Amino acid sequence: MIARTAMKSDVVVIGGGIAGCATALQLARRGKQVTLLERDQAGVRASGVNFGGVRQNGRDPRELPIAMRARAMWDELPSLIGFDGEFRATGNLRLASDEERVAQLDQFFTTARDQGLGLVRLDPAELKARYPWLSGKPLRGLLCPSDGHANPRLVGPAFAFAAREAGVTIIEHTEITEGWYANGAFQLRSADNRTFVAPALVNCAGAWAGKVAGWFDEPVTLVPEIPQVQVTEPLPYRIEPVLGFMGGDFYLRQTLRGNILFGSGQGRATADALRSRPLPETMQRGAQIAIDFVPDLAHVPIFRAWTGVDGDTADGVCVVGQSETHPGLFHAFGFNGHGFLLGPGVGAVITELILSGKTSTDIGGLGIGRFRKAPGT
C-alpha cells in the first residue's frame, strides 16, 4: 500500500481523554497548530465513563502538587470549556475502619497539611454528629472540603469540543500502530496507512500509552484497570461529601438529582482492552460494602452499572513529564483510575513544558525514568 502525504503540525497528541484534550486546547490557545489522534471518540472512554470524583484527598504525595493545581482549575471550567461541568465542591471524606488504615490516614494528614492542603480530621463521635446516615464502622475520617464531584459524561466531551473550537484538528476512529523519530520530527502511522508528523509529541494514550512509550525506548508495563460503577434510583439528597476508603477500593457519592453512584472492584475487559462489561459478583460485593457504611441503602434499587478501562502503573502513580530519551516527547498517562481531577492540570503542565521547557508545578516524582531498568537487569 502506498502511504498518503504526511499531515504535519506543531504538536501531535495521541489520546482524546481529558488530559489529551486539555493539553491540545491550551496549546492551541497559545498559537500552536495541534493534531489530536483518538482511536475511538474523544472524551468518551475512561474520561467520560468514570465515577466523577474530583479528589485531592488520599493521593500519593508525589501527585499532590499537580492535583492541587488541577483542583484550582476546576473553578475555572466555565472559561476553559464554556460551562461548569456540574462540578460541586461537596468535600471528599476518606474513611478508615481499622488501625492500619487510621495510621495511613494520619500520615497523609500530616504530609498533605505540610503541602498546604486544607483537611479536617474527624473521630467517630464527630463523624456521627456530622453524618448521621453513616454507620459506626469508621474509626477515623479525613475531610477535604475543597474536593467534590462533576459529571464525566459532560466534561469529557466538552474538553474535546472546546479543543475543536480553539482550532485543534481532532481525528477520531484512528488507531496509531507505529511511531518513530526521524529527520528532527516524530512520525506516526495509522492502521489505514496515514502518516502524521510533528516536532513535538504528547503521549496521552491511556491504557495503551506504555506501548507508545516503548516505540521511543521508554517501555512501561501498564495493567488494565476496569473500574465498575453502579447507580441507584434517586433518593432525597443527604449524602453531601464523596466517600472513599483510605488505601481501599470503594467510592460513593450522591448526585444532585438524588441518585447514588458507587463502586468497588473491577469488571471484565476484552483481551485488547477496547471493550469491558460489569460482573454481577463485583456488583454484589460493592453493594454490600455500600450497605455496611450507609445502612439506609439496603433496599434501594440499582438500575444500571457500567465500566471503563484505564492503565495502572506498578507504583499506582501517574507518569507526567518529559521523555528521557527523545527531546520533544512528553508523557501523560497511567492515571490508575483516578485521573479525572488531574486532566486540566496535566494540560497546563505539559503546555508549559512544550513552550518553555519548564513548569511551575513540582512533578519531580512523576517522571517516566523511575521505570527504567538499571543496566544488567
Side-chain angles (χ1 to χ4, degrees):
M1 184 181 294
I2 300 175
R4 306 173 189 177
T5 301
M7 180 175 180
K8 298 181 179 180
S9 52
D10 296 327
V11 183
V12 170
V13 178
I14 304 179
I18 291 177
C21 288
T23 300
L25 167 63
Q26 294 178 62
L27 284 168
R29 288 184 175 176
R30 288 161 178 78
K32 292 296 183 180
Q33 183 182 5
V34 184
T35 299
L36 185 146
L37 306 172
E38 165 58 41
R39 70 187 304 161
D40 199 327
Q41 289 180 273
V44 304
R45 281 195 168 272
S47 290
V49 299
N50 63 83
F51 172 70
V54 177
R55 173 179 66 84
Q56 304 157 97
N57 201 358
R59 285 191 177 269
D60 187 286
R62 289 171 287 178
E63 288 186 351
L64 268 179
I66 194 170
M68 293 172 69
R69 178 173 186 177
R71 167 59 189 87
M73 295 182 70
W74 279 82
D75 291 330
E76 304 167 2
L77 281 194
S79 62
L80 195 60
I81 61 173
F83 80 122
D84 66 5
E86 296 186 359
F87 171 65
R88 299 294 182 272
T90 59
N92 180 283
L93 179 63
R94 308 298 283 179
L95 299 170
S97 54
D98 60 54
E99 293 300 335
E100 180 183 357
R101 301 306 187 194
V102 168
Q104 292 177 359
L105 187 148
D106 288 344
Q107 179 59 55
F108 177 79
F109 174 78
T110 300
T111 301
R113 182 187 58 186
D114 291 345
Q115 294 198 42
L117 182 62
L119 297 167
V120 180
R121 193 159 42 180
L122 302 168
D123 63 24
E126 292 169 318
L127 285 170
K128 197 63 178 176
R130 284 188 181 224
Y131 312 113
W133 39 264
L134 193 62
S135 76
K137 289 179 69 70
L139 302 178
R140 181 94 87 242
L142 190 62
L143 176 68
C144 182
S146 59
D147 285 346
H149 58 82
N151 189 335
R153 295 184 182 275
L154 299 178
V155 174
F159 267 95
F161 181 82
R164 282 194 182 95
E165 289 290 294
V168 175
T169 300
I170 297 181
I171 302 176
E172 298 177 313
H173 305 291
T174 298
E175 179 185 3
I176 301 301
T177 57
E178 188 179 8
W180 66 97
Y181 187 82
N183 301 319
F186 295 92
Q187 321 275 329
L188 303 171
R189 182 168 294 144
S190 64
D192 60 2
N193 210 39
R194 285 177 289 171
T195 303
F196 305 89
V197 178
L201 172 64
V202 184
N203 174 18
C204 295
W208 303 274
K211 178 181 178 181
V212 174
W215 293 338
F216 304 102
D217 304 316
E218 293 182 301
V220 176
T221 299
L222 296 178
V223 178
E225 181 180 7
I226 307 98
Q228 184 164 308
V229 183
Q230 304 177 65
V231 60
T232 73
E233 291 185 353
L235 300 172
Y237 185 77
R238 64 191 297 229
I239 303 176
E240 185 176 32
V242 179
L243 303 185
F245 286 172
M246 194 65 195
D249 180 22
F250 178 74
Y251 35 89
L252 182 148
R253 68 179 176 94
Q254 187 169 22
T255 71
L256 300 181
R257 302 171 186 85
N259 307 86
I260 306 293
L261 275 69
F262 66 94
S264 180
Q266 299 194 38
R268 178 174 295 163
T270 55
D272 58 10
L274 291 175
R275 296 289 180 267
S276 60
R277 64 178 179 86
L279 294 177
E281 56 269 31
T282 303
M283 293 178 63
Q284 186 174 8
R285 287 195 301 270
Q288 186 57 60
I289 296 172
I291 293 167
D292 287 346
F293 284 83
V294 187
D296 290 348
L297 298 181
H299 301 292
V300 180
I302 296 168
F303 68 84
R304 187 158 58 94
W306 67 88
T307 58
V309 180
D310 201 354
D312 286 3
T313 59
D315 60 4
V317 174
C318 62
V319 175
V320 177
Q322 294 171 294
S323 165
E324 294 188 354
T325 62
H326 289 73
L329 172 61
F330 304 85
H331 299 291
F333 65 86
F335 294 112
N336 299 275
H338 54 240
F340 186 56
L341 157 76
L342 296 177
V346 168
V349 165
I350 298 297
T351 295
E352 289 174 346
L353 291 174
I354 290 174
L355 296 182
S356 69
K358 58 185 179 180
T359 175
S360 60
T361 300
D362 179 7
I363 57 170
L366 307 181
I368 196 167
R370 70 187 194 269
F371 297 110
R372 180 175 291 278
K373 292 183 179 180
T377 63

